[in-house]
């Protein structure tokens, strides 16, 4: 019980650092996520690769990083290429409307909407370009963190007496339980992400939407970002659907995304949350929204670790469980 103040102190320091240095903390958390994902993939490969034991871990790292690199390399070219097609289609529609006898105020509204859309897209591109140096730094930190998490766990275990000087064994149990719960949640999320990726990829293939493999891979990768991931994967899917099938394609793409999201939210995710977190989905949603507002993008990622830490703290130090 004497360690409760130290646990709260570390939580407060983490939140302060997340506020003051969001890119660094977000990269570290993403590296932690990635390390756990690699561990689960390595365990799966270990069922088929018995010797040497290290080979499954190496292959898991290569596989995961190739998937991430493939998604990242293809994301921006697809967005830029399809954005040009969308702008061309908008210009074509606007030109056709201008040749028709329509009220001037309708034509003015259409022109303003088109101009606003173009300015917004340009502003978004400029913001992304401005963040490129920070993205590169974050990417390096993510890779480094994912490789040294096992060493960091060993370091913390060996020096837990400095972190919880009042009762090191109690502090070790608290940290081990908290990390195990988070690890179990991420492991379950791997299964959900696989389902979402396959569902989106197969759906795109069946409806003849280009780059179906890329769309499925992107849906798998971004599914680890709660709620925000579906928005990231929706952008290229809807743009590709529209460029090939027009408004009908937008409807198809929307149906694929909504179906995958609803199946995840109402069937798969609740089971994982009940076994790993035992926290109501509405509390999780509100926490993610609040943290997203407080800490921007990084808040979406640290919301669940925060909930797990807080829940375990309450059970361990307040209720004495």
């Amino acid at each position: 019980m004497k360690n409760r103040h130290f646990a709260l102190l570390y939580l407060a320091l983490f939140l302060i650092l997340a506020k003051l240095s969001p890119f660094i903390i977000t990269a570290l958390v993403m590296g932690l996520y990635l390390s756990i994902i690699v561990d689960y993939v390595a365990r799966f490969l270990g069922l088929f690769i018995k010797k040497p034991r290290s080979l499954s871990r190496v292959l898991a790292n290569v596989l995961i990083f190739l998937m991430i690199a493939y998604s990242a390399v293809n994301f921006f070219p697809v967005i830029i290429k399809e954005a040009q097609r969308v702008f061309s289609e908008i210009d074509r529609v606007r030109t056709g409307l201008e040749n028709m006898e329509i009220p001037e105020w309708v034509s003015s509204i259409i022109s303003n909407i088109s101009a606003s859309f173009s300015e917004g897209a340009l502003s978004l591109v400029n913001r992304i370009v401005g963040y490129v140096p920070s993205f590169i730094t974050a990417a390096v930190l993510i890779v480094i963190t994912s490789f040294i998490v096992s060493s960091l766990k060993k370091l913390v275990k060996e020096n837990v007496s400095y972190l919880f000087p009042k009762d090191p064994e109690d502090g070790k149990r608290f940290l081990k339980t908290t990390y195990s719960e988070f690890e179990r949640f991420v492991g379950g999320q791997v299964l959900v992400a696989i389902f979402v990726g396959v569902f989106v990829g197969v759906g795109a293939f069946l409806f003849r939407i280009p780059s179906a493999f890329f769309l499925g891979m992107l849906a798998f990768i971004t599914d680890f970002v709660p709620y925000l991931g579906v928005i990231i994967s929706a952008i290229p899917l809807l743009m590709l659907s529209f460029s090939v099938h027009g408004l009908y394609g937008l409807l198809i793409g929307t149906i694929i995304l909504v179906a995958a999201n609803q199946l995840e939210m109402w069937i798969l995710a609740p089971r994982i949350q009940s076994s790993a977190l035992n926290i109501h989905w509405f509390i999780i949603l509100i926490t993610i929204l609040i943290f997203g507002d407080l800490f921007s993008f990084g808040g979406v990622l640290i919301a669940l670790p925060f909930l797990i830490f807080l829940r375990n703290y309450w059970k361990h130090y307040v209720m004495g469980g």
Side-chain angles (χ1 to χ4, degrees), residues 50-321:
K50 302 298 182 179
K51 292 182 180 181
R53 292 183 177 181
S54 59
L55 181 59
S56 60
R57 175 77 185 186
V58 173
L59 290 177
N61 274 292
V62 172
L63 179 62
I64 294 298
F65 282 103
L66 282 177
M67 292 170 63
I68 295 174
Y70 174 81
S71 300
V73 167
N74 284 276
F75 182 79
F76 289 107
V78 168
I79 293 296
I80 294 172
K81 181 181 178 181
E82 298 308 317
Q84 292 174 344
R85 291 185 179 181
V86 171
F87 288 141
S88 298
E89 183 66 19
I90 291 175
D91 288 338
R92 187 184 67 80
V93 173
R94 184 174 60 180
T95 302
L97 290 174
E98 288 176 352
N99 294 331
M100 297 173 58
E101 294 183 0
I102 59 175
E104 185 177 346
W105 63 273
V106 174
S107 177
S108 177
I109 292 176
I110 295 174
S111 298
N112 289 334
I113 292 175
S114 177
S116 299
F117 184 81
S118 300
E119 291 175 3
L122 182 61
S123 175
L124 178 61
V125 171
N126 290 333
R127 290 184 63 180
I128 292 174
V129 171
Y131 281 123
V132 165
S134 298
F135 284 146
I136 294 174
T137 302
V140 173
L141 276 176
I142 291 171
V143 173
I144 294 175
T145 303
S146 66
F147 277 107
I148 66 171
V149 163
S150 57
S151 301
L152 290 177
K153 288 193 295 184
K154 183 179 180 180
L155 181 65
V156 171
K157 183 178 180 180
E158 293 175 349
N159 296 276
V160 71
S161 59
Y162 294 101
L163 297 172
F164 296 95
K166 300 294 184 181
D167 190 348
E169 289 302 317
D170 172 76
K172 185 183 296 185
R173 287 194 299 272
F174 172 73
L175 291 177
K176 183 178 180 180
T177 302
T178 302
Y179 183 81
S180 296
E181 289 182 358
F182 178 66
E183 188 178 43
R184 191 163 60 248
F185 174 81
V186 175
Q189 194 64 29
V190 171
L191 298 177
V192 177
I194 290 174
F195 168 81
V196 172
V198 171
F199 187 91
V200 171
V202 171
F205 176 78
L206 292 177
F207 287 100
R208 298 183 179 181
I209 299 173
S211 305
F213 181 77
F214 159 70
L215 293 173
M217 192 72 69
L218 183 65
F220 168 77
I221 296 296
T222 57
D223 194 69
F224 293 96
V225 183
Y227 298 98
L228 188 60
V230 67
I231 299 176
I232 299 174
S233 60
I235 297 173
L237 174 58
L238 294 178
M239 295 179 76
L240 285 165
S241 302
F242 177 77
S243 66
V244 175
H245 301 294
L247 294 178
Y248 174 68
L250 280 180
L251 178 61
I252 293 174
T254 302
I255 290 175
I256 293 174
L257 289 169
V258 170
N261 180 258
Q262 293 303 305
L263 286 172
E264 176 185 1
M265 179 176 294
W266 297 107
I267 298 177
L268 298 175
R271 294 185 179 183
I272 293 173
Q273 292 165 0
S274 63
S275 61
L277 299 181
N278 196 24
I279 301 174
H280 196 277
W281 66 268
F282 185 72
I283 296 176
I284 294 175
L285 174 60
I286 293 300
T287 304
I288 289 174
L289 292 176
I290 292 174
F291 270 64
D293 189 47
L294 291 174
F295 301 99
S296 189
F297 172 74
V300 177
L301 291 175
I302 67 176
L304 286 176
F306 169 81
L307 270 181
I308 293 173
F309 186 98
L310 191 63
R311 173 181 176 271
N312 197 42
Y313 174 88
W314 190 267
K315 289 177 60 178
H316 192 83
Y317 289 117
V318 178
M319 299 182 66

